Amino acid sequence: MNPLLRRTKIAGRRALRRTRLLRDNRATVMVEMAFCVPLLVLIGFGGIEISNLTLVNTRISQIGLNTADNAARIAYGSNLSLPRVREVDINDVFAGAEAQASGLSFKQNGRIILSSLEVNDDGGQTIKWQRCYGDLNINSSYGPQGTGATGSSFPGMGPSNNQVKAVSGTAIMFVEVTYRYQPVAYGNWLGPRTIRNEAAFNIREGRDLEGPDGGGVYNPSPSVTKSSCT
């Protein structure tokens, strides 16, 4: 074969191979995915974290509402003319809250503060008794048990523009729930987050509000451990 013709054929084959290579896009999707997958994973986990945070906020809100409601129902339907609130009843309310908080490790990372807002002898507002559940070291935003025992300087409980006040002969079960959020993936990105919620319900019927020694809560034999806030 003529050497010139042979060289021409070889050059033609090479040019044809280069043209095919330039047109070959079979690996394009793989290259694009290699760039996109890490970003999609970050966005996906971010969506999971935000969804979980929203869900936990909703659950904490429901825990506060149900705890206040259940505390307001203590001794409801009792045959006594003035039903008594017992320490065991309060502990049962907290047990219900813990069951509702299943999966949140609430006892280790949260606290429920249950206060009985009543009217004192001077016609002012007072926190007659207060009980707590959970290991989170936090105090009530409105003061400990006994706040407002005398006088009328204590304005009630709740936000300053929407405070609740008890009326004579009844009581308000006021609940403060605080929870230290446990992130799924982006703890450093979110930073420490504390979820807080408040709820209040008036008691369903008349109660013995004085209790032993004026404390409002009975602990008859066999007694149980009081859910103290200290």
Side-chain angles (χ1 to χ4, degrees):
M1 179 183 292
N2 189 305
L4 179 60
L5 180 59
R6 185 181 178 198
R7 287 197 297 271
T8 301
K9 287 183 176 181
I10 293 173
R13 292 194 195 101
R14 289 175 178 173
L16 181 62
R17 284 198 294 269
R18 284 197 297 270
T19 302
R20 288 175 178 173
L21 182 61
L22 289 173
R23 292 178 179 176
D24 190 351
N25 59 3
R26 288 175 294 179
T28 302
V29 174
M30 295 181 64
V31 173
E32 291 176 348
M33 288 297 292
F35 282 103
C36 292
V37 166
L39 179 60
L40 292 174
V41 169
L42 289 174
I43 294 174
F45 277 107
I48 292 173
E49 190 70 78
I50 293 172
S51 298
N52 185 65
L53 179 59
T54 302
L55 177 61
V56 172
N57 267 285
T58 301
R59 292 187 67 184
I60 294 301
S61 175
Q62 290 300 313
I63 289 169
L65 286 169
N66 288 342
T67 301
D69 189 19
N70 290 336
R73 295 176 186 273
I74 289 176
Y76 179 69
S78 171
N79 293 325
L80 296 175
S81 58
L82 287 177
R84 296 175 173 180
V85 176
R86 304 170 300 168
E87 297 290 354
V88 66
D89 298 321
I90 297 173
N91 290 351
D92 285 345
V93 169
F94 287 148
E98 175 59 32
Q100 188 177 358
S102 175
L104 295 179
S105 299
F106 185 87
K107 188 178 187 303
Q108 294 78 18
N109 299 288
R111 170 161 278 208
I112 299 173
I113 303 175
L114 171 61
S115 303
S116 181
L117 181 64
E118 303 177 27
V119 176
N120 63 25
D121 293 337
D122 298 321
Q125 300 292 300
T126 182
I127 299 177
K128 186 66 168 291
W129 55 262
Q130 191 174 82
R131 299 292 184 271
C132 295
Y133 174 80
D135 298 334
L136 187 63
N137 186 18
I138 191 167
N139 299 319
S140 170
S141 298
Y142 308 102
Q145 175 177 310
T147 298
T150 59
S152 57
S153 60
F154 182 55
M157 303 181 75
S160 58
N161 60 344
N162 192 27
Q163 289 175 332
V164 296
K165 299 178 184 291
V167 297
S168 182
T170 186
I172 292 175
M173 298 291 101
F174 194 93
V175 169
E176 302 165 74
V177 185
T178 307
Y179 176 70
R180 187 170 52 211
Y181 177 67
Q182 303 301 296
V184 176
Y186 288 157
N188 292 332
W189 174 61
L190 283 175
R193 281 188 175 268
T194 300
I195 301 171
R196 179 177 168 80
N197 186 265
E198 297 178 350
F201 274 84
N202 203 76
I203 59 175
R204 292 296 190 268
E205 62 182 4
R207 288 179 180 174
D208 179 354
L209 299 177
E210 293 304 318
D213 302 322
V217 183
Y218 289 84
N219 196 10
S221 179
S223 62
V224 299
T225 301
K226 180 172 72 172
S227 298
S228 173
C229 293
T230 57

